[in-house]
Amino acid sequence: ENDEKDRSDSDSDDDYDYDYGYDDTFKEEEGDEERRVWFLEELAEQKEEDHGLSSRVSVPVPDVEREGRSHVRVKNFSVIAEAFRRDPNHLLTFLAREGGLSCARAGEKGSSLRVRWRGGSFEARLSKILRRYAIAFITCRECKSARTELLRASGGHKTELLCRQCNARRFVPCLSQI
């Protein structure tokens, strides 16, 4: 009986070499660590880009001052364009075409906008035009998010609005057709 007991102790799992083929499966290939690091860096950059971007549009109140009898200056025009996250020249073109305003960038590095305007209530008119711009060129129609981007096709004739929130896409009017 003792011999059987000694044999059962010696037949433990340590004496056998099991080969299930897992050795090759879990080996890391060259460059796996580099790909992992690159992926994490890209993810961190995307988070940094998205950080602070809200899904709503918050436009600062236009800081308007009268310049003589026939001109008005919007002192915080570049701040408004930055709040919209759009190119100031795109916004300027929209104001000129949609609003029928005769305007040009002025000030240091085009930070303000000089508009030919006679009469009163320019602030109300500008606010209406900016609201129309936000609806046409910023807000996603699917999820109502403002985290959007304007993409120009390679031909340059079509502009597409891409939502970063829900990935919806839609074509927006070309400013030359407004």
Side-chain angles (χ1 to χ4, degrees):
E1 293 177 16
N2 286 340
D3 288 337
E4 288 179 21
K5 200 178 215 183
D6 290 338
R7 267 189 259 146
S8 67
D9 288 340
S10 67
D11 291 342
S12 70
D13 289 339
D14 296 336
D15 294 340
Y16 295 102
D17 186 23
Y18 295 104
D19 184 21
Y20 294 109
Y22 294 134
D23 294 339
D24 294 336
T25 307
F26 294 111
K27 283 185 181 174
E28 289 191 16
E29 294 181 19
E30 282 186 40
D32 275 355
E33 186 63 28
E34 292 172 10
R35 282 191 289 255
R36 218 177 274 120
V37 168
W38 174 83
F39 175 75
L40 291 174
E41 287 173 355
E42 288 291 315
L43 190 62
E45 284 179 21
Q46 185 178 10
K47 270 189 162 182
E48 286 175 9
E49 288 174 3
D50 289 347
H51 185 68
L53 298 182
S54 68
S55 60
R56 299 184 57 102
V57 178
S58 176
V59 182
V61 177
D63 185 12
V64 178
E65 76 175 12
R66 186 58 103 168
E67 261 190 9
R69 291 182 148 211
S70 62
H71 287 91
V72 174
R73 180 174 287 211
V74 181
K75 290 197 254 181
N76 62 344
F77 175 71
S78 62
V79 175
I80 293 170
E82 192 174 303
F84 279 151
R85 294 185 292 274
R86 294 294 182 260
D87 180 30
N89 292 325
H90 188 262
L91 181 57
L92 175 72
T93 305
F94 184 83
L95 291 173
R97 296 212 172 126
E98 178 71 16
L101 302 176
S102 175
C103 50
R105 293 179 71 180
E108 288 184 36
K109 299 180 184 176
S111 62
S112 62
L113 183 71
R114 190 165 191 246
V115 182
R116 183 174 177 91
W117 182 263
R118 297 189 94 168
S121 72
F122 176 74
E123 293 87 357
R125 175 83 172 134
L126 182 62
S127 294
K128 285 181 184 178
I129 297 169
L130 291 175
R131 237 177 284 140
R132 282 197 306 244
Y133 181 82
I135 290 168
F137 292 99
I138 296 174
T139 310
C140 174
R141 288 187 182 162
E142 301 299 320
C143 68
K144 307 295 184 223
S145 173
R147 291 182 52 209
T148 58
E149 186 177 321
L150 286 176
L151 303 174
R152 200 147 182 95
S154 60
H157 294 292
K158 293 188 178 191
T159 305
E160 195 173 17
L161 184 78
L162 170 66
C163 178
R164 293 293 179 193
Q165 187 84 21
C166 69
N167 287 329
R169 292 173 174 256
R170 70 176 169 100
F171 286 105
V172 293
C174 186
L175 284 180
S176 62
Q177 296 173 353
I178 290 178

